[in-house]
């Protein structure tokens, strides 16, 4: 007699099979998470947290608002006509006099970004204000330093009244706030960033183009030559990775200078006169030449990895069907290498747009890129807000370009 079991299927331990499978799946997921947790934690600490901190710094203006909160409160009541009233002077006087040296130093650094001279004014005034016992304060402050009677200094405070600001981003594209928080252009002598942005993208595109022109035939040879020859050629491609970037850059400096190897050879060959030596150093040309040589392997390797998978039978079939070698290459081989072209171009462009060491050493004044300005403000002016905004703009532009690339080519095709 047949018996029908309608209950749940059990394991040998008497646990329902469905429940046991869920428990096993949870255990596997937990084990997998624990395996990747160190890498996840490392990426979080070294990549995501710095990016988040950069984005916060690019709009943070609290270092001055926490030092002069009462001054800004009465400052907002001022109509911006003439000099501020006594109330503003009095509030500023007490907040300068009673503030700590470290806090006033950070605030004065921020104020100096808006109007040069604030730092020395506050430092000098803090010493002199100790001798002032009672008001009225406006006349005594002006007597201690004539800058307190300069309306431009007071108007500059209008750019800093809010704890968050877009002023750093405006500065990064040669704009700024006026005293009424309206956007205006920087003075002619301070419009430097838009030109640098254009030059950065131009140099990056040219380096990418030259790397593609030089790297494509090299990759083709690597993929089609017999193994013993292609291995030797691959060693030549990888050899620069075994040499310091600084050493390679200095070697190019020796070669490209006016009394260097290249110009000497040109003079010895009577191709140019000794007095007409080419200026190949400390300009944009030097930056493009050296960056092209340094980044060339990053174009060759993606191209080679794709070309190696293209069967030579495709070209043979096209030739057998009557196509010329050039036509077969253009219509058959090149379309199959597009994923390698796109991957190499994207990799070289991303690396080139943020380059710093090479333009710093060989670029001179004309070959500086946006990365050099970021380094300058980090080390010299300590304007971290401007550095953060320049970096954030660079990150945003690259994100947009990556999105466009994904829409046109598809990241899955790399």
């Amino acid at each position: 007699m047949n018996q029908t079991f309608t209950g749940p299927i059990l394991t040998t331990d008497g646990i329902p099979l469905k429940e046991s499978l869920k428990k096993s799946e949870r255990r596997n997921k937990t084990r997998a998470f624990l395996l990747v947790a160190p890498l996840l934690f490392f990426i979080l600490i070294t990549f995501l947290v710095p990016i988040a901190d950069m984005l916060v710094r690019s709009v943070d203006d609290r270092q001055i608002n926490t030092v002069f909160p009462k001054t800004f409160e009465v400052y907002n009541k001022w109509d911006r006509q003439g000099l501020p009233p006594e109330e503003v002077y009095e509030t500023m006087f007490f907040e300068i006099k009673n503030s700590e040296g470290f806090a006033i130093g950070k605030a004065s650094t921020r104020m100096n970004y808006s109007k040069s001279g604030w730092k020395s004014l506050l430092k000098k005034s803090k010493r002199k204000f100790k001798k002032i016992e009672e008001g009225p304060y406006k006349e005594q402050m002006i007597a201690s330093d004539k800058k307190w009677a300069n309306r431009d200094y007071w108007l500059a405070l209008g750019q800093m009244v809010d704890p968050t600001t877009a002023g750093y981003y405006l500065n990064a594209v040669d704009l700024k706030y006026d005293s009424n928080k309206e956007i205006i252009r920087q003075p002619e002598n301070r419009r430097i960033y838009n030109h640098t942005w254009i030059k950065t993208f131009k140099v990056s595109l040219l380096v990418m183009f030259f790397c593609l022109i030089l790297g494509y035939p090299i990759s083709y040879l690597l993929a089609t030559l017999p193994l013993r020859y292609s291995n030797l050629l691959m060693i030549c491609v990888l050899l620069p990775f075994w040499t310091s970037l600084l050493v390679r850059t200095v070697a190019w400096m020796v070669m490209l200078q006016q009394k260097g190897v290249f110009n000497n050879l040109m003079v010895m060959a009577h191709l140019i006169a000794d007095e007409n030596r080419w200026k190949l150093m400390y300009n944009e040309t030097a930056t493009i030449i050296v960056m092209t040589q340094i980044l060339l392997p990053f174009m060759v390797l993606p191209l080679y990895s794709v070309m190696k998978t293209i069967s030579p039978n495709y070209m043979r079939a096209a030739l057998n069907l009557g196509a010329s070698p050039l036509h077969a290459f253009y219509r058959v081989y090149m379309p199959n290498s597009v994923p390698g072209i796109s991957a190499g171009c994207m990799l070289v462009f991303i690396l080139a747009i943020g380059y710093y060491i090479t333009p710093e050493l060989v670029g001179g004044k004309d070959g500086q890129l946006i990365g050099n300005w970021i380094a300058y403000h980090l080390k010299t002016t300590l304007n971290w807000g401007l550095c953060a905004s320049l970096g954030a703009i660079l990150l945003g532009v690259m994100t947009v370009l990556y999105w466009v690339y994904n829409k046109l080519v598809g990241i899955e095709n790399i």
Side-chain angles (χ1 to χ4, degrees):
M1 184 176 179
N2 295 331
Q3 295 182 351
T4 304
F5 296 95
T6 58
I9 301 175
L10 304 179
T11 64
T12 55
D13 299 330
I15 302 173
L17 181 60
K18 187 176 181 180
E19 195 175 311
S20 178
L21 289 173
K22 287 183 178 180
K23 186 176 180 181
S24 177
E25 187 177 354
R26 283 197 303 270
R27 192 184 303 114
N28 290 334
K29 287 182 178 179
T30 303
R31 188 182 297 114
F33 175 77
L34 292 175
L35 287 173
V36 301
L39 178 60
L40 182 64
F41 182 74
F42 177 79
I43 293 175
L44 180 67
I45 296 300
T46 61
F47 186 71
L48 296 181
V49 171
I51 287 179
D53 181 65
M54 177 187 72
L55 295 176
V56 170
R57 285 179 183 271
S58 67
V59 295
D60 185 17
D61 220 11
R62 291 172 297 175
Q63 63 179 349
I64 180 172
N65 281 269
T66 54
V67 178
F68 301 116
K70 295 179 181 178
T71 299
F72 283 131
E73 186 177 340
V74 296
Y75 180 89
N76 285 327
K77 301 174 184 177
W78 176 41
D79 60 2
R80 311 295 198 274
Q81 301 297 320
L83 290 176
E86 170 69 19
E87 183 184 11
V88 178
Y89 276 92
E90 181 180 352
T91 310
M92 174 69 85
F93 170 84
F94 281 108
E95 290 196 314
I96 292 175
K97 185 177 181 179
N98 299 327
S99 62
E100 298 180 359
F102 178 75
I104 199 74
K106 289 187 66 176
S108 64
T109 299
R110 166 63 184 96
M111 296 162 79
N112 230 43
Y113 301 152
S114 295
K115 175 67 177 175
S116 179
W118 265 117
K119 195 175 185 71
S120 60
L121 174 61
L122 294 183
K123 187 176 181 180
K124 187 190 303 181
S125 297
K126 187 170 176 60
R127 293 196 307 267
K128 292 185 176 181
F129 286 179
K130 295 177 181 179
K131 301 177 183 178
I132 302 176
E133 299 295 336
E134 57 183 15
Y137 299 99
K138 182 174 182 178
E139 291 77 8
Q140 296 182 77
M141 290 173 67
I142 294 174
S144 68
D145 197 306
K146 293 182 179 179
K147 290 179 181 177
W148 289 115
N150 189 334
R151 186 166 169 268
D152 291 340
Y153 281 89
W154 290 105
L155 291 176
L157 285 179
Q159 304 172 20
M160 301 171 272
V161 294
D162 298 322
T164 58
T165 180
Y168 295 121
Y169 285 98
L170 294 176
N171 197 0
V173 290
D174 293 337
L175 300 173
K176 68 173 184 177
Y177 284 126
D178 63 8
S179 59
N180 297 315
K181 296 288 284 186
E182 295 181 356
I183 298 174
I184 60 174
R185 297 189 70 184
Q186 290 277 9
E188 186 70 32
N189 62 337
R190 299 191 65 180
R191 296 175 194 169
I192 54 177
Y193 296 112
N194 284 343
H195 173 70
T196 307
W197 281 115
I198 294 171
K199 182 167 56 177
T200 299
F201 282 99
K202 183 182 77 171
V203 168
S204 300
L205 287 171
L206 287 174
V207 169
M208 180 191 74
F209 174 75
F210 290 132
C211 283
L212 178 61
I213 296 300
L214 296 173
Y216 199 95
I218 296 173
S219 304
Y220 181 78
L221 285 174
L222 283 169
T224 56
L225 283 175
L227 191 60
R228 62 180 182 274
Y229 298 119
S230 64
N231 285 342
L232 181 62
L233 192 58
M234 179 60 77
I235 291 174
C236 296
V237 171
L238 297 178
L239 191 61
F241 288 122
W242 304 337
T243 309
S244 167
L245 173 63
L246 187 60
V247 172
R248 281 183 280 164
T249 304
V250 172
W252 274 108
M253 294 173 68
V254 173
M255 292 181 62
L256 296 179
Q257 60 185 312
Q258 282 191 289
K259 295 292 184 179
V261 176
F262 182 79
N263 269 305
N264 285 341
L265 289 175
M266 297 293 286
V267 171
M268 290 170 60
H270 302 289
L271 295 176
I272 58 174
D274 186 61
E275 63 274 9
N276 294 327
R277 289 171 177 261
W278 293 344
K279 295 180 180 179
L280 300 175
M281 271 296 296
Y282 306 119
N283 51 34
E284 190 176 308
T285 303
T287 301
I288 293 172
I289 292 173
V290 180
M291 285 179 62
T292 299
Q293 188 273 330
I294 290 173
L295 295 177
L296 185 59
F298 294 98
M299 178 66 75
V300 171
L301 294 177
L303 282 169
Y304 170 73
S305 65
V306 172
M307 290 179 176
K308 196 64 178 175
T309 63
I310 301 175
S311 173
N313 294 328
Y314 295 164
M315 288 289 289
R316 295 194 192 105
L319 294 173
N320 288 336
L321 291 173
S324 65
L326 184 62
H327 189 70
F329 179 83
Y330 175 73
R331 295 298 299 271
V332 177
Y333 194 89
M334 186 174 286
N336 282 285
S337 66
V338 166
I341 294 174
S342 59
C345 288
M346 186 173 68
L347 183 59
V348 170
F349 183 80
I350 290 174
L351 291 172
I353 203 171
Y355 241 55
Y356 158 65
I357 295 177
T358 300
E360 182 73 16
L361 291 176
V362 304
K365 184 180 71 173
D366 295 331
Q368 301 290 292
L369 305 184
I370 204 67
N372 300 103
W373 279 112
I374 294 175
Y376 170 76
H377 288 299
L378 275 174
K379 296 186 299 183
T380 306
T381 67
L382 303 180
N383 191 346
W384 286 27
L386 180 55
C387 295
S389 64
L390 290 170
I393 292 173
L394 201 58
L395 176 64
V397 169
M398 290 311 304
T399 303
V400 171
L401 291 176
Y402 177 83
W403 178 81
V404 171
Y405 172 85
N406 188 40
K407 288 293 183 182
L408 296 178
V409 179
I411 195 65
E412 69 279 355
N413 292 326
I414 295 181

